[in-house]
Amino acid sequence: MLDRRTFLTGALSATLLAPALARARVSAASTVRVVVDGGCEDARAFARACGLSESAHQDAASLAATLEDMRETACVGLGRDSQVFVLTRLLASRGYRPVYEGRHELVAARTRHTLRGARDAVRTLATALADAGDAWPRWLATAAPRLAHAASLEQATARTVSGLAARGDGPGLLVSWCLLRA
Amino acid sequence: MKPRDALPPARVDAGALDAALEEWRAALGPQWVLSGKASGLARYRDDFAPDAAQSRAPHAALQPANLKQVQKVLEIARRRGVPLWPLATGRNLGYGGAAARQAGVVMLDLQRMNRVLEINEALGYALVEPGVSHLDLQRELTRRGSALTAAPPAAGWGSVLGNLLERGHGYTPRAEQFDNLCGLQLVLADGTVVETGLGARERERGKPRAVLPWRHGLPAASLFGQANFAVVTRLGLALTPRPAVLRAYRVSVAAEDDLRVLVERLRPLLLDGVVAPGGVIVNLLLDAALVTTRRRLGGDSGPLAAEARARLGAELGLGAWNYHGAFAGTADSVAGDAQALREALRGLAGARLEFEDGTGSAPGVALHAALARGVASTEAHAVLDWVGAGAHLDVDTSLPLRGDAALAAFRAHQALCDEHGLDYLAAFQLGPRDLRHRHLLVFARDDAQAGARVAKLYRALAAAADGRGEGVLRTHLDFMDDIAAQYAWSDQAWLRTCESLKDALDPGGLLAPGKSGLWPGRGGRKRD
Ligand SMILES: Cc1cc2nc3c(=O)[nH]c(=O)nc-3n(C[C@H](O)[C@H](O)[C@H](O)COP(=O)(O)OP(=O)(O)OC[C@H]3O[C@@H](n4cnc5c(N)ncnc54)[C@H](O)[C@@H]3O)c2cc1C
């Protein structure tokens, strides 16, 4: 039984995250901080797809210290709503602002995705997630750097549903995000 | 307790406000005066507002960097007649967040004053500015290799000063934050800088040894808790050395009604000093909410039925009530205390005593062990996931340290929760002679109807608690007038005393109008 919130986190080279960096504001030379809830399989799948080691554990106190010292250009991740609530506010005081947020909700044994961010990026992602089944966290991770793209572009909301049942150990609502340093 | 009409915005002359903003820009630098849509002013809101219709939007926010700038801000506010609402870090979630009581005031955000001014290892205290969070203080203590700890609240990202002024609580034996107060530096509305502790001595010249909260004369510091008499610019905080041995434990009892006997068994140990204040008796759902959510448990979204709660308890290894405590001292004293507890629990059917051993256990055990060690984190926010994107409104009351009082409070709250369609998530914290009943009304923060339901429930709970003779200790902005009115004995003598103090110390009514139900002008300008 997991009785502490643990996180998987690491600073990864942006090139590791996905190939489609040319259009992204995150340059290949920069690093991206990935933060993932260590307590549920969907989030861990996201972490693996980002190339994050399963041993990169931190508890909530040391994660807060990591965020205090954060230098990376962007922060992406997948976790519980409460974690994202705290993290976005802690990082806002350090000059990071949200450019993308996705809500992934368990509804009638399917995952309903509501994505908000740069129009093209969220539409592409929504299409990918519709066919992703329970592999949706992997698709999300692949798209992560693109979500950081052009915060100033027109914002849009896209909704879609993944066909297969979500894994049983999640909270029922996961939130993905991308924050960019202003 | 009836719902009140929405509070109108503070009356501020538009010309005077513009002129004040100009002067503040010149005094602080334009980037530290936020006004207008794109300025970041949106941060000054209550993210957990139960009543979405009540506007609290401020006109502007000021971010001074030091004492001199605070004095200058006040001087301009005084001349221009603009009310201010001071904030430390603005994370007072559950009680109003970063919002003011009324729309139309100017926020005085002290986050930039974020220095740990001193940590005195030998005498065990820290001097901190308002913007220092418990996480910051912990980092600084770690950086210095200090053997000292504070008593952080479960939400460790809030300020040391704001949490203490609000009469917040931690989980170590020094849980009552106000007991750790060792002097305040204040700026009164007229700009006077006051030291409440030893720093007032001419020889200390405002640079106190923060070893006492008081001195000769009026023990003034406690007047500034949950109040609006001054802007606090520095705090002396007692820190305690980490004990040689700390052994965290949990006592769980199987049945909900066992709360009564659990309290009765713990009380003598508390009075004897075997059990330290600061431990908490947490109900099943509050501990469970650390690891699971209402949605995962299936069914509709109404309150979980008694049988489902019992199943959940069995699955997670939780009792109906779970007392999280810790013994601290030497190996011998801890072993002796543990033995005394075992004896006290003897014959209590369904009671289990379990020591934390770091290998993983029922939900809440490791978290409470960390809190008892004084570790600051933001982990406890997990309970808000119970309802998806959650918020909470807290009902905090004090009742006698008696089993029957606890049971009556629990039953009344559970019944009202059932009636209003909400799960009961709560804890009783052991004070030296009383119990603090902390009931978290957890609701979906993007659902206005859920907020309204919770506000209604809050009113019912507060009225019923009043009827049982319990006192509310701390409340959300929305209910401050109502709760102040509960302390109305002797023709509102206490409120009138506070109003006299307010009018003497802040005759222009500049500071935090309406805080804790205290309005300027002897209540005459109340809510206008
Ligand atoms: C999940 C969760 C768990 C929580 N657990 C706990 C807990 O265990 N214990 C607990 O006590 N609280 C708890 N809280 C409540 C809250 O987080 C804290 O009390 C928080 O520390 C207060 O926020 P702050 O320090 O940012 O205060 P602020 O919001 O900065 O200030 C609060 C109020 O104090 C006054 N004030 C602040 N600074 C000044 C100043 N310099 N001069 C004059 N007046 C001032 C103002 O009226 C202000 O509105 C919890 C909240 C959540 C969400």
Side-chain angles (χ1 to χ4, degrees):
Chain A
M1 168 58 59
L2 178 80
D3 64 344
R4 296 300 302 273
R5 283 276 134 258
T6 56
F7 299 85
L8 300 172
T9 184
L12 302 177
S13 158
T15 46
L16 279 179
L17 281 170
L21 285 164
R23 291 187 304 143
R25 285 243 306 247
V26 179
S27 81
S30 61
T31 51
V32 173
R33 165 72 44 188
V34 181
V35 180
V36 155
D37 181 355
C40 76
E41 180 46 33
D42 280 331
R44 285 196 298 269
F46 179 94
R48 281 194 299 276
C50 290
L52 208 62
S53 154
E54 288 255 358
S55 60
H57 274 285
Q58 283 197 341
D59 64 18
S62 49
L63 176 68
T66 302
L67 298 180
E68 263 304 302
D69 292 334
M70 199 169 116
R71 299 274 177 274
E72 288 83 17
T73 322
C75 177
V76 297
L78 181 63
R80 289 166 172 252
D81 177 79
S82 62
Q83 295 161 354
V84 183
F85 180 87
V86 170
L87 180 140
T88 48
R89 281 157 184 79
L90 279 176
L91 287 180
S93 59
R94 299 188 36 79
Y96 289 81
R97 64 199 175 91
V99 292
Y100 155 79
E101 189 176 283
R103 308 184 77 71
H104 314 279
E105 243 175 308
L106 182 61
V107 180
R110 289 162 178 243
T111 305
R112 185 172 69 199
H113 309 278
T114 308
L115 316 168
R116 175 138 191 91
R119 193 188 56 194
D120 289 351
V122 293
R123 285 193 182 158
T124 311
L125 179 59
T127 310
L129 294 184
D131 298 329
D134 68 357
W136 65 266
R138 190 152 55 79
W139 285 96
L140 196 64
T142 312
R146 240 177 300 172
L147 297 169
H149 173 55
S152 56
L153 285 186
E154 196 185 335
Q155 297 277 301
T157 302
R159 292 190 179 80
T160 190
V161 173
S162 288
L164 288 178
R167 293 169 232 257
D169 67 343
L173 169 68
L174 285 173
V175 180
S176 58
W177 72 89
C178 177
L179 303 172
L180 264 193
R181 200 168 57 205
Chain B
M1 211 194 260
K2 288 207 183 82
R4 296 190 181 233
D5 294 339
L7 195 57
R11 269 200 223 141
V12 184
D13 178 83
L17 177 69
D18 286 345
L21 286 170
E22 270 317 300
E23 289 192 61
W24 281 323
R25 284 189 194 104
L28 307 182
Q31 70 273 40
W32 307 118
V33 178
L34 314 184
S35 68
K37 272 213 169 96
S39 62
L41 208 53
R43 164 183 139 59
Y44 300 97
R45 63 169 183 262
D46 179 10
D47 283 312
F48 291 3
D51 179 1
Q54 172 64 63
S55 167
R56 301 193 185 283
H59 272 310
L62 313 173
Q63 301 178 332
N66 53 47
L67 175 64
K68 283 233 149 16
Q69 289 192 349
V70 171
Q71 286 177 291
K72 186 70 190 164
V73 163
L74 284 167
E75 190 254 307
I76 296 165
R78 211 165 47 240
R79 249 186 312 104
R80 301 291 181 183
V82 182
L84 302 170
W85 189 282
L87 284 180
T89 48
R91 291 178 176 141
N92 200 18
L93 292 160
Y95 305 97
R101 181 88 178 74
Q102 233 177 341
V105 304
V106 169
M107 307 308 287
L108 178 55
D109 178 351
L110 302 172
Q111 252 190 106
R112 286 175 70 216
M113 295 176 66
N114 60 1
R115 289 176 304 161
V116 176
L117 299 166
E118 184 187 349
I119 290 177
N120 193 310
E121 195 68 26
L123 295 173
Y125 69 78
L127 284 177
V128 296
E129 291 188 325
V132 174
S133 70
H134 270 283
L135 286 169
D136 296 334
L137 178 60
Q138 174 168 279
R139 263 159 67 89
E140 187 56 21
L141 289 166
T142 309
R143 194 186 67 76
R144 294 182 188 208
S146 171
L148 302 169
T149 57
W157 65 337
S159 70
V160 176
L161 188 144
N163 186 250
L164 185 141
L165 288 184
E166 286 292 276
R167 297 191 178 276
H169 64 97
Y171 299 86
T172 73
R174 305 277 306 196
E176 196 63 59
Q177 300 294 10
F178 229 72
D179 293 347
N180 299 321
L181 195 161
C182 283
L184 297 173
Q185 182 190 67
L186 316 158
V187 189
L188 301 180
D190 70 1
T192 307
V193 179
V194 176
E195 288 281 348
T196 66
L198 293 169
R201 278 164 21 96
E202 194 60 55
R203 278 169 191 268
E204 301 215 12
R205 294 169 165 272
K207 293 207 169 51
R209 275 166 295 142
V211 290
L212 264 185
W214 40 266
R215 46 132 201 272
H216 169 78
L218 182 77
S222 57
L223 281 179
F224 297 90
Q226 289 189 10
N228 53 7
F229 300 143
V231 178
V232 183
T233 43
R234 193 188 57 213
L235 162 73
L237 182 81
L239 302 172
T240 40
R242 259 181 259 123
V245 177
L246 187 138
R247 225 169 155 211
Y249 61 89
R250 179 183 70 138
V251 178
S252 57
V253 290
E256 287 175 341
D257 285 0
D258 288 344
L259 176 63
R260 189 188 65 76
V261 61
L262 179 60
V263 171
E264 287 301 311
R265 301 274 175 122
L266 290 173
R267 189 183 55 241
L269 299 181
L270 194 79
L271 294 177
D272 280 355
V274 173
V275 160
V280 269
I281 305 175
V282 181
N283 90 322
L284 168 84
L285 289 189
L286 186 56
D287 265 345
L290 287 167
V291 296
T292 190
T293 62
R294 180 68 188 82
R295 195 184 301 228
R296 264 184 71 180
L297 299 172
D300 62 21
S301 56
L304 213 55
E307 312 80 70
R309 293 202 295 268
R311 265 199 312 279
L312 181 65
E315 190 188 311
L316 296 177
L318 285 169
W321 296 99
N322 303 277
Y323 173 65
H324 297 280
F327 295 126
T330 62
D332 283 351
S333 74
V334 164
D337 289 345
Q339 188 50 31
L341 177 62
R342 273 192 204 95
E343 275 159 26
L345 295 173
R346 189 163 294 148
L348 178 52
R352 263 179 55 197
L353 169 64
E354 171 197 358
F355 287 92
E356 185 240 4
D357 61 5
T359 60
S361 174
V365 173
L367 171 65
H368 280 280
L371 287 168
R373 290 190 172 90
V375 177
S377 87
T378 56
E379 188 170 341
H381 280 81
V383 301
L384 304 178
D385 295 321
W386 182 250
V387 292
H392 71 103
L393 177 67
D394 274 13
V395 192
D396 284 6
T397 56
S398 167
L399 45 139
L401 182 53
R402 305 297 302 238
D404 46 5
L407 190 60
F410 153 62
R411 282 188 180 146
H413 281 234
Q414 176 78 68
L416 280 167
C417 277
D418 286 344
E419 201 179 295
H420 287 74
L422 211 80
D423 282 313
Y424 170 74
L425 281 72
F428 290 88
Q429 186 162 34
L430 275 60
R433 271 165 198 78
D434 74 333
L435 283 169
R436 316 283 159 82
H437 186 189
R438 300 209 164 94
H439 178 178
L440 277 77
L441 309 184
V442 180
F443 64 104
R445 65 173 184 273
D446 45 9
D447 180 345
Q449 279 180 349
R453 206 167 47 236
V454 151
K456 198 168 161 208
L457 174 57
Y458 181 97
R459 288 197 172 84
L461 290 166
D466 192 34
R468 288 191 304 276
E470 298 170 14
V472 173
L473 299 176
R474 189 178 172 192
T475 190
H476 185 275
L477 295 169
D478 281 359
F479 309 103
M480 284 178 172
D481 290 329
D482 302 296
I483 298 305
Q486 289 189 344
Y487 292 90
W489 180 73
S490 186
D491 192 21
Q492 309 254 19
W494 177 240
L495 190 60
R496 285 186 290 112
T497 306
C498 293
E499 284 171 352
S500 300
L501 284 169
K502 175 71 179 163
D503 289 346
L505 293 173
D506 180 13
L510 287 184
L511 298 176
K515 171 86 184 172
S516 302
L518 192 51
W519 296 86
R522 271 212 154 230
R525 294 208 298 276
K526 205 174 240 189
R527 296 166 61 93
D528 66 355

